[in-house]
Amino acid sequence: MKPVVVTGPPRADLKTVDALAAHGVATVHEAIGREGFLGPHLRPTHLGSRIGGTAVTVLSWPGDNLMIHVAVEQCAPGDILVVTTTSPSTDGMFGELFATALQYRGVRGLVINAGVRDTAELHAMGFPVWSAAVSAQGTVKATPGSVNVPITIGGQVIRPGDAILADDDGVMVVAREAVDSALAAAEARAAKEEATRRAFREGQLGLDRYGMRDKVADLGIEYVPYAEWDPS
């Protein structure tokens, strides 16, 4: 791919993204058919954050953060910077100074399929980060890449302007055209889960609520009193 910076891409409606993010990654992921999850290797540097925003994508050379510098200019309030590299990298490509510049522009957080550093400072300044690694190893600024082009992380394609949701359970993407339908599905699932939550609080068992007793029997699982059980 020829190095390019694409300016002014369409973005998902931010109010809808905010409503979607409030349901959490696990609920939305299940609600839309278990799609969009970027994989368990992306973990928050600190627990307790739940954010949603629109993607500004970065394709960088491993060990080189030049294109993150380029991408800062393309960021707007409500965005989440999403970075990957052309081959695997764990170098600390992002730290406190980048976060300071992004906070000024209203960026809500970072998702990076590589390494970050300055994690204590990032936590203190309230800038949430999900990364594949934490590393003090720094980078150079020498190799061209691209900004606001489709990238792939964990087998999922992320386009500029797509919705990114991130919390303690991980990170997922929802296509910008699909945020309305995803929100409707998430709201329906949340209502269903609340009904189940009430039932469990009243003592109902999952075996009965989900109709699994016949399945247990069909699988040959037997209930045997302890006095009659022969473990041999």
Side-chain angles (χ1 to χ4, degrees):
M1 176 189 295
K2 181 179 179 180
V4 65
V5 177
V6 180
T7 63
R11 287 169 163 84
D13 178 72
L14 198 53
K15 289 184 179 179
T16 306
V17 175
D18 288 342
L20 198 57
H23 288 288
V25 170
T27 293
V28 177
H29 172 62
E30 292 285 349
I32 65 173
R34 299 181 182 179
E35 296 180 353
F37 183 52
L38 303 192
H41 69 293
L42 294 178
R43 300 301 305 148
T45 56
H46 294 89
L47 297 175
S49 294
R50 172 173 286 178
I51 64 171
T54 46
V56 171
T57 60
V58 181
L59 181 62
S60 288
W61 198 260
D64 193 309
N65 67 4
L66 172 64
M67 298 312 296
I68 299 180
H69 284 278
V70 174
V72 172
E73 185 179 22
Q74 303 305 315
C75 292
D79 284 338
I80 295 175
L81 194 64
V82 184
V83 181
T84 194
T85 52
T86 56
S87 62
S89 176
T90 58
D91 293 337
M93 298 176 63
F94 184 100
E96 173 198 2
L97 296 180
F98 269 137
T100 301
L102 291 177
Q103 275 192 330
Y104 174 81
R105 304 185 76 85
V107 174
R108 294 177 170 180
L110 169 78
V111 174
I112 182 167
N113 195 29
V116 296
R117 57 185 187 176
D118 302 337
T119 55
E121 290 80 2
L122 292 171
H123 183 52
M125 65 194 296
F127 190 83
V129 170
W130 287 257
S131 70
V134 173
S135 175
Q137 177 67 47
T139 59
V140 299
K141 303 167 179 62
T143 315
S146 294
V147 175
N148 278 337
V149 298
I151 61 174
T152 302
I153 298 177
Q156 303 297 323
V157 176
I158 304 151
R159 303 167 305 160
D162 283 347
I164 299 294
L165 313 178
D167 60 22
D168 290 351
D169 292 329
V171 184
M172 69 173 295
V173 60
V174 179
R176 58 180 180 260
E177 303 91 348
V179 292
D180 287 329
S181 60
L183 178 58
E187 289 172 341
R189 183 172 182 87
K192 179 180 178 181
E193 288 180 346
E194 177 56 29
T196 300
R197 189 176 296 110
R198 288 196 302 267
F200 285 173
R201 285 171 177 163
E202 294 169 358
Q204 186 176 15
L205 295 173
L207 283 172
D208 298 314
R209 186 164 187 84
Y210 300 133
M212 294 188 294
R213 289 197 182 275
D214 288 343
K215 179 182 289 187
V216 168
D218 291 343
L219 290 172
I221 300 171
E222 298 181 4
Y223 288 79
V224 180
Y226 183 79
E228 301 175 12
W229 180 51
D230 179 4
S232 59

